[in-house]
Amino acid sequence: MHRDTGWSIFSSEFSNIDATADPTEFVRFMDDANAMDFFRSAKERTYALLALQAGNQVLDVGCGAGDDVRALVGIVGPTGRAVGIDSSQTMIDTARRRSAGDTGVEFRVGDAQQLDFADNTFDACRTDRVLQHVSDPQRTVHEMVRILRPGGRLVALEPDTGALLLDAPDKAVTRKILTFRSDAVRSGWIGRQLRRLFMTAGLTDVEVLVMPSPRIDYAHTNASLRLDYYARCAADAGVISHAEATRWSESLAAWADDGFFFCLVTMFLVVGLKP
């Protein structure tokens, strides 16, 4: 369970970071991703939608290295509390180390699908690029609603990997690679599903904001979204041929040299109110 912007490693590894060969790679990856202007702005919007007041208690599910928890405690102030949970001990250790000396923050290793908090504990809850990786997004949403107090807000920011757009010369091969890439994520369509998941969990006043993130920097986009990597994986899986994968990657690089590269990541920001 953790956030991802580029899906550079299969979803199962994001769901069990500590079991990977180098868990700290995920810390570095998310540090780089969260430094992007788009995600800095998107995070600020999630904070605003929480409608926090001084003294509130707020939970960040899938907190990673704790950047958002530290930002949230700055909003709720010294009389409030900001708690972060993550399934990765590596992430929680990093969050605690980076938050040493901070007051009002708390970090726990925890399961988003079975939150270790009593009903009606928090005034607000947020999650950011996490639901795409959990095995049961609906249960996770229900859990986040359960721990909210009446009147509390839930905010989720998620991509929709099925809505990734890429301009490339070979339309048929591009479609196959992007579909393969989307299906590699546990819940690749989570963005478009959030409204329904919020409503079936009993939330009201559900609002959906679509946040497009255009990319024209080929080198950075290829590094974060791992386009070449997924082309090779699709070839290894027999979805396309290895020759098609090579030609596809070379065509993207050639268009980038001509200044034509264009990609669009589609993010969904959804907020709901607990009655």
Side-chain angles (χ1 to χ4, degrees):
M1 176 199 70
H2 196 59
R3 311 162 181 165
D4 178 25
T5 61
W7 313 284
S8 65
I9 305 170
F10 285 122
S11 183
S12 60
E13 292 189 287
F14 273 95
S15 303
N16 195 7
I17 289 173
D18 295 336
T20 61
D22 181 13
T24 60
E25 176 187 356
F26 291 80
V27 178
R28 295 189 295 271
F29 183 84
M30 293 315 304
D31 282 347
D32 289 343
N34 291 334
M36 293 174 60
D37 289 342
F38 173 83
F39 284 109
R40 286 202 299 265
S41 176
K43 285 174 178 295
E44 291 292 338
R45 294 187 74 174
T46 68
Y47 306 156
L49 288 172
L50 290 171
L52 293 169
Q53 303 293 324
N56 279 172
Q57 296 194 56
V58 56
L59 177 66
D60 186 31
V61 175
C63 65
D67 295 347
D68 298 306
V69 175
R70 289 185 289 275
L72 294 171
V73 81
I75 299 173
V76 299
T79 60
R81 181 174 70 131
V83 180
I85 71 157
D86 200 286
S87 62
S88 167
Q89 185 70 58
T90 300
M91 289 292 180
I92 293 300
D93 289 345
T94 303
R96 288 171 175 165
R97 184 173 62 253
R98 292 181 179 180
S99 305
D102 293 347
T103 59
V105 298
E106 178 183 340
F107 296 99
R108 302 185 189 183
V109 175
D111 182 356
Q113 298 173 120
Q114 192 172 353
L115 295 173
D116 190 21
F117 300 101
D119 296 356
N120 308 319
T121 297
F122 292 93
D123 299 289
C125 179
R126 75 181 291 278
T127 187
D128 179 349
R129 289 162 286 166
V130 172
L131 293 174
Q132 62 180 318
H133 298 304
V134 300
S135 60
D136 191 342
Q138 182 69 84
R139 178 177 176 181
T140 304
V141 172
H142 274 275
E143 275 292 278
M144 292 188 289
V145 173
R146 178 185 64 79
I147 57 86
L148 279 176
R149 293 170 179 158
R153 289 176 170 237
L154 174 61
V155 173
L157 176 69
E158 293 287 340
D160 193 303
T161 59
L164 177 66
L165 304 181
L166 180 68
D167 186 22
D170 193 322
K171 183 176 180 180
V173 170
T174 300
R175 182 184 294 114
K176 290 177 182 179
I177 292 171
L178 295 188
T179 298
F180 175 85
R181 186 176 179 280
S182 176
D183 290 344
V185 180
R186 271 182 169 172
S187 296
W189 283 15
I190 190 65
R192 72 191 72 181
Q193 296 167 349
L194 284 176
R195 180 177 180 272
R196 171 173 52 84
L197 296 182
F198 273 42
M199 294 177 70
T200 55
L203 295 175
T204 62
D205 300 325
V206 177
E207 297 182 20
V208 179
L209 300 174
V210 180
M211 303 180 67
S213 175
R215 315 283 176 87
I216 59 173
D217 185 327
Y218 167 71
H220 183 271
T221 302
N222 194 31
S224 63
L225 300 187
R226 295 298 293 274
L227 301 173
D228 290 347
Y229 169 79
Y230 277 102
R232 293 193 300 271
C233 288
D236 290 342
V239 175
I240 59 175
S241 70
H242 285 91
E244 286 175 321
T246 299
R247 286 197 299 270
W248 187 80
S249 293
E250 289 175 347
S251 72
L252 289 184
W255 273 17
D257 288 342
D258 292 333
F260 297 148
F261 178 78
F262 180 79
C263 177
L264 184 72
V265 175
T266 306
M267 301 292 297
F268 286 77
L269 178 55
V270 183
V271 58
L273 182 72
K274 182 174 180 177

